[in-house]
């Protein structure tokens, strides 16, 4: 079939009632494909938020338990010869971050309440407000959310750090003799763990576009066969 004849037959089909119905079908298929791709993207985003948040909380619970155990052992066995728990934890976190040098790796730090920090203050008002909420709550729970930092989207988990050992309380009171007295179980700060979401977001967006395009192509192929 020659090209002009093929074009004329296509034009005749599109001008017909069935052809117009096919165009409506194509539009509805496109809208459905966009909705499926959009839903797939946000479903994966929620999965990432929940699962990565739970993974980080589990890791932070392990760190907190380890340092609490160290604090108890230091008081019982090591006396003043071993580094204080706060310094021990800070050095361990610093070493951990140095081993995670790649730009899309997990990053961790420990910050104190705004105005009462020992070494590191919160970087932003949202983190300071989260620590204040932890201190005001009888059962503080970790918070996980997406945040923007310097134009980069991060999945941030803020995990409360409480004084679970009397030695921690005594040490902080010694370091801050002029401030309010710390008590057992007070919130002394929070772990802040950031995971860059750039690689995941790009992969998720690509997969969503591919899924939507594949669904649209399949719908149009089936629709064209039926209408023709």
């Amino acid at each position: 079939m020659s090209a002009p004849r093929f074009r004329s037959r296509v034009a005749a089909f599109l001008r017909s009632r069935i052809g117009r119905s096919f165009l409506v079908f194509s539009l509805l298929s496109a809208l459905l494909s966009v909705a499926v791709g959009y839903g797939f993207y946000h479903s994966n985003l929620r999965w990432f938020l929940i699962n990565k948040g739970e993974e980080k909380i589990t890791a932070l619970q392990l760190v907190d338990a380890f340092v609490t155990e160290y604090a108890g052992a230091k008081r019982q066995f090591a006396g003043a010869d071993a580094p204080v728990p706060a310094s021990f934890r800070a050095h361990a976190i610093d070493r951990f971050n140095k081993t995670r040098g790649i730009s899309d790796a997990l990053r961790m730090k420990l910050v104190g309440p705004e105005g009462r920090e020992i070494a590191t203050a919160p970087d932003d008002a949202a983190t300071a407000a989260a620590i204040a909420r932890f201190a005001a709550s009888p059962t503080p729970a970790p918070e996980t959310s997406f945040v923007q930092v310097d134009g980069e989207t991060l999945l941030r988990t803020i995990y409360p750090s409480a004084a679970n050992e009397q030695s921690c309380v005594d040490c902080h009171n010694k370091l801050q003799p002029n401030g309010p007295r710390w008590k057992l179980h007070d919130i002394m700060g929070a772990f802040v763990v950031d995971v860059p979401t750039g690689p995941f977001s790009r992969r998720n967006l690509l997969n969503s576009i591919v899924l939507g395009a594949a669904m649209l192509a399949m719908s149009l192929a089936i629709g064209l066969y039926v209408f023709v």
Side-chain angles (χ1 to χ4, degrees):
M1 182 185 298
S2 64
R5 186 180 178 188
F6 176 76
R7 286 196 296 270
S8 66
R9 293 190 65 176
V10 170
F13 169 74
L14 294 177
R15 286 195 299 268
S16 68
R17 182 173 59 84
I18 292 179
R20 291 193 297 271
S21 298
F22 174 72
L23 292 177
V24 173
F25 171 81
S26 299
L27 177 61
L28 293 176
S29 296
L31 293 175
L32 179 61
S33 299
V34 170
V36 169
Y38 181 85
F40 181 79
Y41 178 84
H42 283 275
S43 175
N44 280 348
L45 210 59
R46 287 192 297 272
W47 175 89
F48 184 79
L49 175 66
I50 293 171
N51 285 271
K52 283 296 182 181
E54 290 177 349
E55 288 177 9
K56 291 193 294 182
I57 289 170
T58 300
L60 290 173
Q61 287 172 337
L62 178 61
V63 172
D64 214 24
F66 181 79
V67 175
T68 299
E69 185 66 20
Y70 171 83
K74 176 184 181 301
R75 182 181 58 182
Q76 185 175 357
F77 300 111
D81 296 331
V84 297
S87 298
F88 174 81
R89 178 163 44 191
H91 293 317
I93 290 175
D94 185 55
R95 174 171 291 189
F96 172 81
N97 287 332
K98 286 179 179 178
T99 64
R100 311 277 291 179
I102 55 177
S103 60
D104 61 346
L106 179 147
R107 309 160 191 171
M108 181 189 303
K109 60 185 171 184
L110 179 64
V111 301
E114 190 171 32
R116 299 189 69 189
E117 68 276 1
I118 297 295
T120 308
D123 289 338
D124 50 63
T127 303
I131 296 175
R133 286 194 296 274
F134 294 154
S137 173
T139 55
E143 299 180 3
T144 299
S145 61
F146 292 102
V147 298
Q148 287 282 338
V149 177
D150 297 330
E152 182 182 22
T153 302
L154 306 173
L155 178 63
R156 171 168 292 176
T157 296
I158 305 177
Y159 183 86
S161 177
N164 295 320
E165 287 285 334
Q166 186 60 45
S167 59
C168 296
V169 175
D170 296 340
C171 180
H172 276 248
N173 284 332
K174 183 179 179 180
L175 292 172
Q176 297 176 316
N178 299 322
R181 298 290 84 189
W182 293 99
K183 303 183 298 296
L184 198 62
H185 306 305
D186 277 353
I187 298 297
M188 291 186 164
F191 291 99
V192 179
V193 183
D194 292 332
V195 174
T197 62
F200 168 79
S201 296
R202 288 190 291 271
R203 186 169 60 250
N204 188 30
L205 179 61
L206 177 61
N207 290 340
S208 301
I209 292 174
V210 169
L211 176 64
M215 183 173 179
L216 177 61
M218 183 175 65
S219 299
L220 292 180
I222 295 174
L224 184 62
Y225 174 78
V226 171
F227 279 93
V228 169

